[in-house]
Amino acid sequence: MKVTVVGAGAVGASCAEYIAIKNFASEVVLVDIKEGYAEGKAMDLMQTASLNGFDTKITGTTGDYSKTAGSDIAVITSGIPRKPGMTREELIGINAGIVKTVSSSLIEHSPNVTLIVVSNPMDTMTYLVHKTTDLPKNKIIGMGGALDSARFKYRLAEAMEAPISDIDGMVIGGHSDKGMVPLTSHATRNSIRVSEFLSAERLDQVAADTKVGGATLTGLLGTSAWYAPGAAVSALVQAIACDQKKMFPCSTYLEGEYGLNDICIGVPVLLGKNGIEKIVDVPLSDAEKAKMQESAEGVTKTNGLLELS
Ligand SMILES: NC(=O)c1ccc[n+]([C@@H]2O[C@H](COP(=O)([O-])OP(=O)(O)OC[C@H]3O[C@@H](n4cnc5c(N)ncnc54)[C@H](O)[C@@H]3O)[C@@H](O)[C@H]2O)c1
């Protein structure tokens, strides 16, 4: 199992570290455009191997995609992150060019690769990969919902003063401050609906805090977060690498599912060795359906900024 991670910055390096620590991949290749940066991150991470007890071989390269040849999975984190006060959508100008070039270089050397898109605005970058490459749609996966769901569970646990391992919940929709749709009506603590423990007002607050989860951290850190994004990517990579058939909300190309067409947006999917193996149809309340529709309109508007010709 060979995994390439493009972008050896905060998210890329964190993702490589979590993949290595979980010890399921034989090789992780880090790629960056900054001279020596990926090589340096790879060497630093390899020097944690004897301490953290993993055998995954991590190497780095400055833009030499021949080193990524034969990758089973590749993660695209290259691009600029947002600064405090910025929206993810504002990154489109620079990141679209980077994602287009990087995805084509990856596929040239690994025609059977499964791509996980992380760079923002993620749903639109996933759509861009869908429109500009020949990869089948099950092999193009946008990571956002896994992270947003982890943030939702964190906020629910905090509100209930419960251990996070008691909590289950999911966030679908666009990966943006306005577009996320936390599925509060489906969230549970040990299979009991969270509405049994928290008032409607408190649940609204949990949903609102979840939606600005990334912006809150950007305000505190001065750049976007990396530990939880890296962990979320590594969970998706592991589900595919180990054929786990696990369910995560991921951005995927929809053709009628959830009443949506010609869009990549977060919906629950099953991940296994073939990438997205199934889109799971979850019954939504009328309010959740309306939020999903509104979210899709936002993503479609951002997609309209792409120059696809
Ligand atoms: N989808 C999500 O849930 C999620 C979460 C967090 C961050 N992000 C996004 O991930 C991206 C990376 O964030 P970060 O915090 O790691 O940023 P970062 O600046 O720390 O790292 C980005 C890296 O990409 C490299 N890079 C730029 N152009 C490249 C190219 N053409 N080829 C190879 N490498 C290139 C840069 O040199 C840099 O090292 C941002 O767009 C950010 O908004 C997405």
Side-chain angles (χ1 to χ4, degrees):
M1 179 54 56
K2 178 169 175 177
V3 182
T4 288
V5 179
V6 185
V11 176
S14 160
C15 156
E17 181 178 12
Y18 285 119
I19 291 171
I21 284 177
K22 292 177 183 176
N23 214 9
F24 59 84
S26 46
E27 194 179 350
V28 173
V29 182
L30 276 170
V31 185
D32 206 282
I33 202 170
K34 228 186 287 174
E35 189 67 43
Y37 197 57
E39 290 87 333
K41 288 277 181 107
M43 194 185 289
D44 193 11
L45 282 169
M46 276 309 281
Q47 290 168 4
T48 71
S50 64
L51 299 162
N52 285 332
F54 63 78
D55 296 316
T56 303
K57 183 182 164 202
I58 309 170
T59 57
T61 169
T62 306
D64 179 359
Y65 281 85
S66 68
K67 303 264 175 63
T68 71
S71 293
D72 300 287
I73 302 170
V75 181
I76 303 179
T77 76
S78 44
I80 51 165
R82 57 182 170 159
K83 296 269 174 256
M86 281 175 92
T87 67
R88 294 174 177 92
E89 289 73 14
E90 287 173 69
L91 306 173
I92 189 169
I94 293 177
N95 287 355
I98 295 175
V99 169
K100 196 172 165 187
T101 318
V102 164
S103 54
S104 124
S105 304
L106 285 168
I107 294 164
E108 188 188 332
H109 291 87
S110 304
N112 297 317
V113 74
T114 296
L115 286 185
I116 300 180
V117 181
V118 182
S119 310
N120 275 317
M122 182 278 295
D123 296 292
T124 295
M125 294 300 106
T126 308
Y127 183 78
L128 174 69
V129 173
H130 181 81
K131 290 289 175 190
T132 56
T133 73
D134 290 330
L135 279 187
K137 66 175 193 166
N138 57 302
K139 285 177 172 275
I140 304 171
I141 303 165
M143 194 295 290
L147 169 65
D148 302 331
S149 301
R151 288 177 171 158
F152 184 37
K153 288 182 251 190
Y154 162 78
R155 288 297 185 190
L156 283 168
E158 179 188 57
M160 283 188 268
E161 297 182 17
I164 294 185
S165 55
D166 267 9
I167 311 294
D168 205 0
M170 204 159 48
V171 177
I172 62 170
H175 178 61
S176 67
D177 297 357
K178 287 189 184 149
M180 286 177 215
V181 184
L183 295 182
T184 307
S185 66
H186 290 277
T188 61
R189 176 177 187 179
N190 289 345
S191 76
I192 300 162
R193 284 175 197 270
V194 291
S195 54
E196 296 291 330
F197 302 99
L198 295 171
S199 66
E201 293 72 33
R202 189 70 182 94
L203 281 170
D204 285 347
Q205 189 58 50
V206 165
D209 290 344
T210 300
K211 290 169 77 167
V212 294
T216 304
L217 284 163
T218 303
L220 291 167
L221 299 167
T223 184
S224 76
W226 55 89
Y227 293 119
V233 177
S234 78
L236 303 195
V237 172
Q238 186 173 22
I240 299 163
C242 303
D243 195 24
Q244 288 176 322
K245 320 285 188 201
K246 273 178 85 98
M247 192 192 297
F248 291 97
C250 291
S251 190
T252 184
Y253 188 74
L254 298 184
E255 293 170 293
E257 299 90 344
Y258 287 85
L260 300 172
N261 272 297
D262 193 33
I263 188 170
C264 289
I265 195 166
V267 293
V269 301
L270 300 188
L271 290 184
K273 64 177 186 307
N274 301 310
I276 292 179
E277 300 198 344
K278 187 178 172 19
I279 294 173
V280 181
D281 198 13
V282 174
L284 301 181
S285 66
D286 287 346
E288 286 162 346
K289 274 185 203 155
K291 282 182 193 158
M292 192 66 177
Q293 189 59 43
E294 198 182 316
S295 180
E297 281 160 19
V299 173
T300 303
K301 198 169 157 205
T302 310
N303 291 350
L305 302 173
L306 290 171
E307 289 162 18
L308 286 172
S309 52

